[in-house]
Amino acid sequence: MTQPVFSHETVMLHETVDAVFCGGGVYVDGTFGRGGHSRLLLSQLDADSILYVFDKDPLAIASANALAQEDSRVRVMHFGFAQMKEELAKEGLLGQVSGILLDLGVSSPQLDDAARGFSFRADGPLDMRMDPTTGLSAAQWVATVSETDLANVLYQYGDERFSRRIAKAIVAAREAQAITTTLELAEIIKVAHPKWDHKKHPATKSFQAIRIHLNGELTELETVLADSVELLKTGGHLSVITFHSLEDRMVKQFIKRQEKGPELPPGLPVLEADLDITMKPLFKSKKASTAEVEQNVRSRSATLRAAVRL
């Protein structure tokens, strides 16, 4: 049977590639997806440059392998970006990378494919794994998680004000019948949710929270940000698109810490040149243009931040 094809509109395409590009060399796209950023970046790189592309998703890797057949400068890595440092160290690339690009969150094909279980807009198996070949599915996790832990996840990763009420409803529902599809879970949350913005589905925050937890997204982001300091060469660029406040806060605070250097006791006689300042921002932050948001509503929550390695 032929697999359905789901299109992907790359968010903040030119802004992100412009922010990461700083001449020839070795580049890394840590979230290949369907390769929109990678293809534009390749068009700007010279013949001697190399682009390593990382992704957990087997379908994204299939796209990446097809691109590698077209362009010999592409190196495909079937790993999440938390393994970037480990894998590139094997290639002798610590301190040698010119640019690292990260487009966080879920890609359009993952959202649009009901079989992946990320979205409540179409019924599908309750999965939500970036790599569906490993780890617990959302259905398995929801079936066994304690009510307290479930409420904590919904609150911490989804900023869901009614997390306890929703968690209680989910636990009660699973005792009557296993929750196995996206629409089943969405309906339980909708009924339990006492108040919501009618422009946004009441399950939005809960689905986000469960996905972030299952895929360890914030832990992996923390890892790759720290690793970028060791991977980038002097003058190399880090370019990151985030889609919610938790991610954006992490990136913003990371760049700020690198720009400030370590906390030292007040009055300590240290010259500015002696401080371990590793990065500075290339700009404050950027949002998708009005024209892009009108064309692709998913870009409305995107924030781009970028920094240069000193």
Side-chain angles (χ1 to χ4, degrees):
M1 183 181 294
T2 303
Q3 290 287 339
V5 177
F6 297 94
S7 64
H8 176 63
E9 290 188 64
T10 305
V11 171
M12 300 187 74
L13 174 60
H14 292 277
E15 298 93 330
T16 306
V17 173
D18 287 348
V20 80
F21 181 73
C22 58
V26 176
Y27 284 80
V28 184
D29 184 345
T31 48
F32 179 79
R34 293 303 182 268
H37 291 116
S38 284
R39 289 177 186 276
L40 180 58
L41 182 56
L42 285 165
S43 74
Q44 299 184 11
L45 296 178
D46 58 35
D48 296 325
S49 294
I50 299 293
L51 176 62
Y52 286 84
V53 299
F54 284 73
D55 211 296
K56 290 181 179 181
D57 189 325
L59 294 179
I61 290 300
S63 275
N65 285 329
L67 180 59
Q69 291 294 315
E70 301 171 18
D71 194 321
S72 62
R73 296 172 296 172
V74 176
R75 306 286 187 270
V76 180
M77 314 295 280
H78 190 180
F79 301 97
F81 52 65
Q83 282 72 53
M84 186 185 297
K85 177 184 168 184
E86 178 183 353
E87 295 305 316
L88 294 184
K90 296 175 184 176
E91 307 288 317
L93 292 174
L94 292 183
Q96 303 298 314
V97 176
S98 296
I100 297 172
L101 184 158
L102 302 170
D103 180 1
L104 305 177
V106 185
S107 70
S108 296
Q110 288 171 329
L111 283 171
D112 294 338
D113 184 356
R116 298 301 300 273
F118 283 103
S119 177
F120 41 74
R121 301 193 185 283
D123 204 18
L126 189 58
D127 196 310
M128 298 195 199
R129 290 171 292 178
M130 298 290 188
D131 181 352
T133 66
T134 185
L136 290 177
S137 69
Q140 291 169 323
W141 183 74
V142 165
T144 58
V145 65
S146 72
E147 183 177 325
T148 298
D149 288 346
L150 175 54
N152 287 342
V153 165
L154 300 183
Y155 182 75
Q156 291 171 6
Y157 298 145
D159 194 27
E160 176 53 73
R161 291 172 53 205
F162 302 102
S163 58
R164 292 184 180 180
R165 182 169 180 159
I166 292 169
K168 184 175 182 179
I170 291 172
V171 169
R174 80 185 184 195
E175 290 177 357
Q177 181 179 339
I179 305 167
T180 60
T181 73
T182 54
L183 290 191
E184 285 173 355
L185 180 60
E187 184 62 23
I188 293 164
I189 295 169
K190 181 179 180 180
V191 171
H193 207 302
K195 183 180 180 181
W196 69 87
D197 178 353
H198 288 275
K199 294 180 181 178
K200 186 181 291 187
H201 194 286
T204 300
K205 291 183 176 182
S206 295
F207 268 60
Q208 171 190 293
I210 294 170
R211 188 204 82 219
I212 289 172
H213 172 74
L214 284 177
N215 293 288
E217 292 177 34
L218 297 185
T219 301
E220 293 198 346
L221 177 57
E222 184 177 27
T223 297
V224 75
L225 290 174
D227 290 348
S228 70
V229 178
E230 295 183 62
L231 285 165
L232 288 169
K233 69 179 186 180
T234 300
H237 289 188
L238 172 68
S239 180
V240 186
I241 306 173
T242 62
F243 287 88
H244 57 77
S245 60
L246 291 173
E247 292 173 339
D248 183 51
R249 192 179 308 122
M250 285 179 67
V251 177
K252 178 182 178 180
Q253 291 176 350
F254 167 76
I255 295 173
K256 193 173 183 179
R257 286 195 305 271
Q258 304 314 305
E259 182 183 21
K260 184 178 179 182
E263 291 287 344
L264 297 173
L268 196 68
V270 178
L271 297 175
E272 183 175 347
D274 295 329
L275 291 174
D276 187 21
I277 298 173
T278 62
M279 289 184 174
K280 69 176 181 180
L282 288 170
F283 44 79
K284 186 175 180 181
S285 68
K286 291 184 179 180
K287 301 290 288 184
S289 68
T290 301
E292 179 174 0
V293 173
E294 288 176 354
Q295 181 178 340
N296 178 15
V297 69
R298 288 174 180 164
S299 68
R300 66 188 172 192
S301 57
T303 301
L304 173 65
R305 294 187 187 272
V308 58
R309 179 72 165 94
L310 301 177

